[in-house]
Amino acid sequence: MRSPDRVLESLRSKACNSEYSYERLYRNLYNPEFYLQAYQNIYATEGNMTQGTDGLTIDGTGTRRIEKLTASLKNYSYKPHPARRTYIPKANNPEKMRPLGIPSFDDKLLQEVIRMILESIYEKTFSAHSHGFRPNRSCHTALLELKTRFTGVKWFVEGDIKGCFDNVDHQILMGLLRRRIKDEHFLGLIWKFLKAGYMENWTYHNTLSGTPQGSIISPILANIYLHELDRYMESYAKEFNRGRKRQRNKEYGQHRGRLEYLRYRKYSKEKWGSLSETEKEQAEIEIHETRVKMMSVSMGNQMDEQYRRVVYVRYADDFLIGVIGSKQDAENIKIDIGEFLKKMLRLEMSEEKTLVTNARDTARFLSYDIYSNRSQNTKKDKNGVTRRVHSERILLYVPKEKWVNRLISYGALKIEYDANDRNKEIWEPVHRKHLLHLDDLEILKQYNAEIRGLYNYYRIAHNVSVLCNFGYVMKYSMYKTFAAKYRTNIGRIKDKHRIGKDFGIRYETKTGSKVMLLYNEGFRHQEEAAAGNFDREPKVYANASPNSLIARLKAKKCEWCGVEDVDLEIHHVRKLKNLKGKAAWERSMIARRRKTMALCPSCHDLLHAGKLD
């Protein structure tokens, strides 16, 4: 069998050739190496320990399970299980619930293989303005593109598609896939996933439209579908854009001409030496006043009808359009996009949420407030030329309600109103009851993770320093949580855990005593995206390390009894901290700091029977 890396690289090499058609893809699904790679990619996801409708989890995955899966693909008897639907609170509104589909793990494993193949075919062809669920791209890359490309825009069109992922038309999606893929067995497998349905309260429901909710292949299928919108916007921009640059503003030209006359003719270097001190002072005042007048007006004619631009950026089903033109131009773009989506993709724009916003006001994109800077402040460039470097630049701001709502959702803040003035809010950090059962280090880790998480997301905002208020409330909520746990007051807690000027918890490790401090690195503005990716993206390992799951499965040696040359099953636990350490196998996993153990079938059966010790 060929190495998955070689197969995927071969697929990628043909991706940019629009005339090339991919055939015989289905045969790659017989290759067990693909499933081992897929298993390595997705095994660490915590949701894998949740049962699907087949009652199975990731636990017990091994070569025999993969062989059974590939056998059903070879005889074409494979049929995906319907997803198990449950409901979880919405991140932005915990009082409302959103549906979550839980596929069976075997389906996830196969979907990850399909995802790798589809990504190799389509990734290079996707638009540079698409950022959602793609390698090396994230919300930050979308926002940074917006910051650099949207300079000078006058209007924003905030795009919102009604239930995009739930309303993807299956027939249109399959037609798009058939443009590049000519393997009907492979396409038929994707069709099966699209039509697998879901179970809710033990009642089966068909899926007549939409990508499989909660599945691994949904993001890339949605990107393939919405790539048509990206292509449409590229062609739309070519037709819409007009002019190379704006006409020069006559008033600006007059002031600039006057300034050049003063500097190079009336008060030239040759004449400057002959002027008296009083005349020199008057000349400097005249030059300065003329420069101020020039810099108070725009260089270009802002109403130039012969100059138009449209720019576009998309993250998954959220997109923002910037328009240099009239408000009517922006309204027409909104109408044209709505008609395209309805006619070509059978999707509907939300009239209430798709807004045309003046760039001086605030648009909302990816939970950031976006607006155009109107500052006329000047700054000298590297050549010493004075320029208005901030004018019409895009600013990214943290919305106040985002970090306030985050505090409330954590249960770290209580807001009351003054009895004498109902408009006056009284903020009070409060302890979090659900954390009291954790040990001290876990409580501190929880607060640090939440503080860092919000800061990492908003680190590229120009006003990210407002998160100092978020950090302050979180700090005192943590103090109160410790005080409630030990039934004491904040002062004693601070004295007990003070380490220099910081708050910290000391703990013991094999290498000695260590200290974990409360987050103290500040909230400084960063110009670059945070390390890592905020999207859900599987980790890909090009070469399996000696301790990887792939190497451990291929070793065919039970990590408990030591028997060799046997097909193994991987035992998984959800969290290491859930292990009590009573059984010897639990102590072994804790010592190795692993949530997995490769066992022979006999040892695995004994473990689940409670007889492995």
Side-chain angles (χ1 to χ4, degrees), residues 84 95 153-154 188 332 496 521 529:
R84 182 166 67 85
E95 295 181 359
V153 300
K154 303 301 180 185
N332 291 340
K496 179 181 177 181
E521 298 171 18

PDB file of all heavy atoms in Angstrom, residues 84 95 153-154 188 332 496 521 529:
ATOM      1  N   ARG A  84     -26.353  11.187  16.497  1.00  0.00           N
ATOM      2  CA  ARG A  84     -27.191  11.360  17.690  1.00  0.00           C
ATOM      3  C   ARG A  84     -27.270  12.840  18.013  1.00  0.00           C
ATOM      4  O   ARG A  84     -26.259  13.481  18.265  1.00  0.00           O
ATOM      5  CB  ARG A  84     -26.609  10.591  18.878  1.00  0.00           C
ATOM      6  CG  ARG A  84     -27.451  10.697  20.144  1.00  0.00           C
ATOM      7  CD  ARG A  84     -27.026   9.651  21.160  1.00  0.00           C
ATOM      8  NE  ARG A  84     -25.690   9.883  21.683  1.00  0.00           N
ATOM      9  CZ  ARG A  84     -25.438  10.705  22.725  1.00  0.00           C
ATOM     10  NH1 ARG A  84     -26.415  11.373  23.301  1.00  0.00           N
ATOM     11  NH2 ARG A  84     -24.199  10.846  23.167  1.00  0.00           N
ATOM     12  N   GLU A  95     -28.698  31.087  27.350  1.00  0.00           N
ATOM     13  CA  GLU A  95     -30.103  30.768  27.600  1.00  0.00           C
ATOM     14  C   GLU A  95     -30.730  30.047  26.413  1.00  0.00           C
ATOM     15  O   GLU A  95     -31.761  29.392  26.562  1.00  0.00           O
ATOM     16  CB  GLU A  95     -30.878  32.042  27.915  1.00  0.00           C
ATOM     17  CG  GLU A  95     -30.437  32.714  29.222  1.00  0.00           C
ATOM     18  CD  GLU A  95     -31.242  33.957  29.530  1.00  0.00           C
ATOM     19  OE1 GLU A  95     -32.130  34.290  28.710  1.00  0.00           O
ATOM     20  OE2 GLU A  95     -31.001  34.576  30.581  1.00  0.00           O
ATOM     21  N   VAL A 153     -12.319  52.335   2.563  1.00  0.00           N
ATOM     22  CA  VAL A 153     -13.702  51.990   2.225  1.00  0.00           C
ATOM     23  C   VAL A 153     -14.662  52.984   2.877  1.00  0.00           C
ATOM     24  O   VAL A 153     -14.401  53.517   3.962  1.00  0.00           O
ATOM     25  CB  VAL A 153     -14.061  50.547   2.639  1.00  0.00           C
ATOM     26  CG1 VAL A 153     -13.168  49.547   1.944  1.00  0.00           C
ATOM     27  CG2 VAL A 153     -14.023  50.371   4.151  1.00  0.00           C
ATOM     28  N   LYS A 154     -15.775  53.214   2.201  1.00  0.00           N
ATOM     29  CA  LYS A 154     -16.786  54.149   2.696  1.00  0.00           C
ATOM     30  C   LYS A 154     -18.004  53.440   3.277  1.00  0.00           C
ATOM     31  O   LYS A 154     -18.709  54.008   4.123  1.00  0.00           O
ATOM     32  CB  LYS A 154     -17.251  55.060   1.555  1.00  0.00           C
ATOM     33  CG  LYS A 154     -16.120  55.841   0.887  1.00  0.00           C
ATOM     34  CD  LYS A 154     -15.397  56.719   1.887  1.00  0.00           C
ATOM     35  CE  LYS A 154     -14.269  57.489   1.223  1.00  0.00           C
ATOM     36  NZ  LYS A 154     -13.465  58.256   2.198  1.00  0.00           N
ATOM     37  N   GLY A 188     -20.602   8.657  -4.186  1.00  0.00           N
ATOM     38  CA  GLY A 188     -21.743   7.981  -3.559  1.00  0.00           C
ATOM     39  C   GLY A 188     -21.573   7.862  -2.052  1.00  0.00           C
ATOM     40  O   GLY A 188     -22.556   7.914  -1.301  1.00  0.00           O
ATOM     41  N   ASN A 332     -26.836  48.092  -3.966  1.00  0.00           N
ATOM     42  CA  ASN A 332     -26.934  47.256  -5.168  1.00  0.00           C
ATOM     43  C   ASN A 332     -26.111  45.977  -5.009  1.00  0.00           C
ATOM     44  O   ASN A 332     -26.541  44.896  -5.452  1.00  0.00           O
ATOM     45  CB  ASN A 332     -26.444  48.034  -6.387  1.00  0.00           C
ATOM     46  CG  ASN A 332     -27.378  49.175  -6.757  1.00  0.00           C
ATOM     47  OD1 ASN A 332     -28.547  49.181  -6.368  1.00  0.00           O
ATOM     48  ND2 ASN A 332     -26.868  50.142  -7.497  1.00  0.00           N
ATOM     49  N   LYS A 496      -1.358  34.249  51.819  1.00  0.00           N
ATOM     50  CA  LYS A 496      -0.915  32.853  51.784  1.00  0.00           C
ATOM     51  C   LYS A 496      -0.214  32.514  50.474  1.00  0.00           C
ATOM     52  O   LYS A 496       0.771  31.761  50.455  1.00  0.00           O
ATOM     53  CB  LYS A 496      -2.109  31.930  51.997  1.00  0.00           C
ATOM     54  CG  LYS A 496      -1.756  30.449  51.945  1.00  0.00           C
ATOM     55  CD  LYS A 496      -3.000  29.581  52.128  1.00  0.00           C
ATOM     56  CE  LYS A 496      -2.659  28.097  52.011  1.00  0.00           C
ATOM     57  NZ  LYS A 496      -3.869  27.242  52.168  1.00  0.00           N
ATOM     58  N   GLU A 521       0.882  38.769  32.368  1.00  0.00           N
ATOM     59  CA  GLU A 521       1.647  39.240  31.205  1.00  0.00           C
ATOM     60  C   GLU A 521       1.030  40.450  30.521  1.00  0.00           C
ATOM     61  O   GLU A 521       1.526  40.911  29.489  1.00  0.00           O
ATOM     62  CB  GLU A 521       1.812  38.092  30.211  1.00  0.00           C
ATOM     63  CG  GLU A 521       2.592  36.916  30.790  1.00  0.00           C
ATOM     64  CD  GLU A 521       2.567  35.701  29.884  1.00  0.00           C
ATOM     65  OE1 GLU A 521       2.257  35.870  28.681  1.00  0.00           O
ATOM     66  OE2 GLU A 521       2.847  34.589  30.366  1.00  0.00           O
ATOM     67  N   ALA A 529      -1.091  37.472  14.286  1.00  0.00           N
ATOM     68  CA  ALA A 529      -2.056  36.499  14.795  1.00  0.00           C
ATOM     69  C   ALA A 529      -1.430  35.659  15.896  1.00  0.00           C
ATOM     70  O   ALA A 529      -0.215  35.434  15.916  1.00  0.00           O
ATOM     71  CB  ALA A 529      -2.539  35.594  13.661  1.00  0.00           C
TER      72      ALA A 529
END
